[in-house]
Amino acid sequence: MTYSELSAQIFQKQSYLCIGLDTDPRKLPRHLLTESDPVFAFNKAIIDATHDLTVAYKPNIAFYEAQGPRGWESLQKTLDYIPNDCFTIADAKRGDIGNTSDLYARAFFDPTAAGLAFDSVTVAPYMGRDSVTPFLAYEGKWVILLALTSNIGSADFQRQLVGDQELFEMVIETARTWASPDQLMFVVGATQVDEFSRIREMAPDNFLLVPGVGAQGGNLEEVSRLGLTAKGGLLVNASRSILYASDGLDFAEKARAEAKALQTEMARQLAHIR
Amino acid sequence: MTYSELSAQIFQKQSYLCIGLDTDPRKLPRHLLTESDPVFAFNKAIIDATHDLTVAYKPNIAFYEAQGPRGWESLQKTLDYIPNDCFTIADAKRGDIGNTSDLYARAFFDPTAAGLAFDSVTVAPYMGRDSVTPFLAYEGKWVILLALTSNIGSADFQRQLVGDQELFEMVIETARTWASPDQLMFVVGATQVDEFSRIREMAPDNFLLVPGVGAQGGNLEEVSRLGLTAKGGLLVNASRSILYASDGLDFAEKARAEAKALQTEMARQLAHIR
């Protein structure tokens, strides 16, 4: 999906919601456990209940990997089931030397070589340029680079001063020389609102993927006010607050209600930038 | 495997060789392609031919992931086949917020929960402490943290000055407050020999995992002289130079010859520290 297609989806659906498919087999509603693939059955129901309210789905690869080969099959089926009008993110936080990043890129981008067909993958910047560029070699595919994450540990290295800027700022500035905003987004945690203006100034046209709304306590209104652009420019992720809104027979219905509440607020925020 | 067991293996086998199982289906000898699982057949032959010369095997997870569910099955079979006297490393370079790192830890460390039974996993430090500690919760399991990698991109961020030290030094210093050397190694590329003395001084008792000997051009003699300790303290990895020494019927024999040459040099280096 291209930058302008993603932007168009945001205004059409009046939503910049991304639903994180952090599907934990231990948290599934009991009635799904008799399904042949409970994880896929759950994801399918969530997608059915929310795809008109969300512009992106973000399977968290760890949750599938922890299930072994079966998990990869659930992931493949989930990805195949996501409608074409939704942007897809492999939240994998990969990053390795060039020839290995080539392989990760193939794993997430290249179905002709036994890989998956995600639109994008999250990548860690620590190993530098040649760990990132192999993903950019796939035309129309995106790198979503970790910049300033939502967790406490973000202070350990990301917030350290390198010269007159913090490390995450250097990451943003440097990575913008590697790729255009058509292929490069940044991860900025919703818990980091104090830095949002500065980041938007440094990366005026890059999409920002913002986790941390909901379970992690980030504030949607503030993130939107500081981060939205005329093209949208934001994907705000919620995972647990939607997926596990109920663990009963009504789990999909309750998930939809949570997603609807976020989408309604997003429509309100989008009206402001018109 | 504990620190002292690994150390004992090194002196017993007179080797600190780690063989990187970066098994690329496109590079397999043709006669293996008729096997039901060519990747496992290749790994099995390599392990049979080298396990007395090496103290560790390091499957590069990207190569298996790129094969989808089938790849995870090859990985599982490979891990099961590695003899108990060899240390095992999941070269995965993972790292995410706490609850996700929990899942990655389960994927690589916990066979009772559909995971694998590796001794260790490589982890990227960018997201800080809470992305690393979930792996340390598994008693007897190791984190191998990226410090100074062997690729060109290591200069982009790892070599940047943070106060009066470089970022990779800060990573080493900080991470040493998170875990004892019984559970924490660092990745230091063999192409970074100029920094080896400094790193050994900062981390006198941590094992260093050193990729980049062989195809990437690092120097075994120099790495050993600067990095070996009285307990061993080094795992030097070679991948492509061993795996693909020949693509013919004699591939395992040629792989053994390459491993033997490295082990012979390692025995010579170990004699110096006595």
Side-chain angles (χ1 to χ4, degrees):
Chain A
M1 188 179 284
T2 66
Y3 191 107
S4 61
E5 285 165 353
L6 178 55
S7 176
Q9 284 296 325
I10 288 173
F11 289 100
Q12 192 178 318
K13 290 181 168 174
Q14 288 289 295
S15 170
Y16 39 97
L17 179 60
C18 172
I19 296 183
L21 296 171
D22 298 16
T23 308
D24 186 339
R26 296 167 301 182
K27 290 191 186 166
L28 297 182
R30 279 167 95 184
H31 70 279
L32 292 182
L33 300 181
T34 54
E35 299 274 344
S36 64
D37 183 343
V39 167
F40 174 62
F42 179 83
N43 288 350
K44 181 172 177 296
I46 293 286
I47 294 165
D48 285 340
T50 59
H51 68 88
D52 59 319
L53 303 171
T54 186
V55 292
Y57 288 100
K58 178 174 75 64
N60 184 329
I61 305 304
F63 287 76
Y64 302 87
E65 212 163 85
Q67 301 303 309
R70 208 159 43 101
W72 277 90
E73 279 158 21
S74 304
L75 178 62
Q76 169 93 64
K77 282 189 273 182
T78 300
L79 184 63
D80 290 347
Y81 194 73
I82 294 172
N84 282 336
D85 66 354
C86 295
F87 187 77
T88 55
I89 302 168
D91 194 2
K93 304 196 171 68
R94 299 297 190 259
D96 207 312
I97 62 169
N99 79 316
T100 301
S101 274
D102 274 344
L103 269 285
Y104 281 126
R106 221 206 284 176
F108 294 113
F109 289 164
D110 190 356
T112 68
L116 300 164
F118 278 98
D119 289 313
S120 65
V121 64
T122 56
V123 177
Y126 190 72
M127 292 183 69
R129 180 175 190 153
D130 53 315
S131 68
V132 174
T133 45
F135 296 98
L136 298 167
Y138 287 79
E139 211 184 327
K141 302 287 186 177
W142 299 67
V143 162
I144 309 183
L145 197 66
L146 301 185
L148 183 57
T149 57
S150 58
N151 62 322
I152 292 174
S154 63
D156 290 330
F157 306 119
Q158 298 166 25
R159 306 297 306 260
Q160 295 297 322
L161 269 183
V162 182
D164 59 354
Q165 57 185 185
E166 295 182 31
L167 177 60
F168 78 87
E169 296 176 287
M170 192 197 183
V171 166
I172 292 173
E173 199 176 87
T174 307
R176 278 175 50 86
T177 68
W178 302 339
S180 83
D182 288 330
Q183 282 195 284
L184 181 66
M185 301 189 188
F186 296 103
V187 173
V188 181
T191 53
Q192 308 281 5
V193 279
D194 293 350
E195 320 307 326
F196 251 83
S197 305
R198 219 172 358 142
I199 291 168
R200 187 41 93 198
E201 216 167 284
M202 297 185 67
D205 40 9
N206 293 92
F207 267 88
L208 305 180
L209 171 64
V210 183
V213 163
Q216 291 178 66
N219 181 326
L220 175 59
E221 192 278 331
E222 215 171 346
V223 163
S224 304
R225 187 171 50 79
L226 300 169
L228 276 177
T229 70
K231 300 282 175 58
L234 280 185
L235 293 175
V236 171
N237 184 77
S239 302
R240 288 169 271 177
S241 62
I242 293 176
L243 301 191
Y244 309 121
S246 158
D247 63 358
L249 286 165
D250 62 348
F251 76 97
E253 194 183 317
K254 288 287 164 61
R256 180 176 176 82
E258 285 291 323
K260 182 70 192 166
L262 288 167
Q263 182 270 321
T264 302
E265 175 62 19
M266 287 175 178
R268 212 171 65 84
Q269 295 297 330
L270 283 169
H272 294 173
I273 63 156
R274 277 299 168 71
Chain B
M1 188 178 288
T2 67
Y3 191 107
S4 61
E5 285 165 354
L6 179 55
S7 177
Q9 284 296 324
I10 288 173
F11 289 100
Q12 193 178 316
K13 289 182 168 173
Q14 289 289 295
S15 170
Y16 39 97
L17 179 60
C18 172
I19 296 183
L21 296 171
D22 298 17
T23 308
D24 186 339
R26 295 167 302 181
K27 289 191 187 166
L28 297 182
R30 279 167 98 185
H31 70 278
L32 292 181
L33 299 180
T34 53
E35 298 276 343
S36 65
D37 183 343
V39 166
F40 174 62
F42 179 82
N43 288 350
K44 182 172 175 296
I46 293 286
I47 294 164
D48 285 339
T50 59
H51 68 87
D52 59 321
L53 303 171
T54 186
V55 292
Y57 288 100
K58 179 173 74 64
N60 183 331
I61 305 306
F63 287 76
Y64 301 88
E65 212 164 86
Q67 301 303 308
R70 209 158 41 101
W72 277 88
E73 279 157 22
S74 305
L75 178 62
Q76 170 94 64
K77 282 189 273 180
T78 299
L79 183 63
D80 291 346
Y81 193 72
I82 295 172
N84 283 335
D85 67 353
C86 295
F87 188 77
T88 54
I89 302 169
D91 194 4
K93 303 198 172 68
R94 298 298 191 257
D96 207 313
I97 63 170
N99 80 317
T100 300
S101 275
D102 274 344
L103 269 285
Y104 280 126
R106 221 205 285 174
F108 293 112
F109 289 163
D110 190 355
T112 68
L116 300 164
F118 278 97
D119 289 312
S120 65
V121 63
T122 57
V123 176
Y126 191 73
M127 292 182 70
R129 179 174 192 154
D130 54 316
S131 68
V132 174
T133 46
F135 296 98
L136 298 167
Y138 288 79
E139 210 183 326
K141 303 286 187 177
W142 299 65
V143 162
I144 308 183
L145 197 66
L146 300 185
L148 183 56
T149 56
S150 58
N151 62 322
I152 293 174
S154 62
D156 290 331
F157 306 120
Q158 298 166 25
R159 306 297 309 260
Q160 295 296 324
L161 269 182
V162 182
D164 59 354
Q165 57 187 183
E166 294 182 31
L167 177 60
F168 78 88
E169 295 176 287
M170 191 197 184
V171 165
I172 291 172
E173 198 175 89
T174 307
R176 277 173 52 87
T177 69
W178 301 340
S180 84
D182 288 331
Q183 281 196 284
L184 182 65
M185 302 189 190
F186 295 104
V187 174
V188 180
T191 52
Q192 309 280 7
V193 280
D194 293 349
E195 320 307 325
F196 251 82
S197 306
R198 222 174 354 146
I199 290 168
R200 187 42 92 198
E201 215 167 285
M202 297 186 68
D205 40 9
N206 293 91
F207 267 89
L208 306 179
L209 171 64
V210 184
V213 163
Q216 291 178 69
N219 182 327
L220 175 59
E221 192 279 330
E222 215 170 348
V223 163
S224 304
R225 186 169 51 79
L226 300 169
L228 276 178
T229 70
K231 301 281 175 61
L234 281 185
L235 294 175
V236 171
N237 184 76
S239 302
R240 286 168 271 175
S241 61
I242 292 177
L243 301 191
Y244 308 122
S246 158
D247 63 358
L249 287 165
D250 62 349
F251 77 95
E253 194 183 317
K254 288 287 163 61
R256 181 176 175 82
E258 285 290 322
K260 182 68 191 166
L262 289 167
Q263 182 271 323
T264 302
E265 174 63 18
M266 288 174 177
R268 212 171 66 85
Q269 295 296 330
L270 283 169
H272 294 175
I273 64 156
R274 278 296 168 73

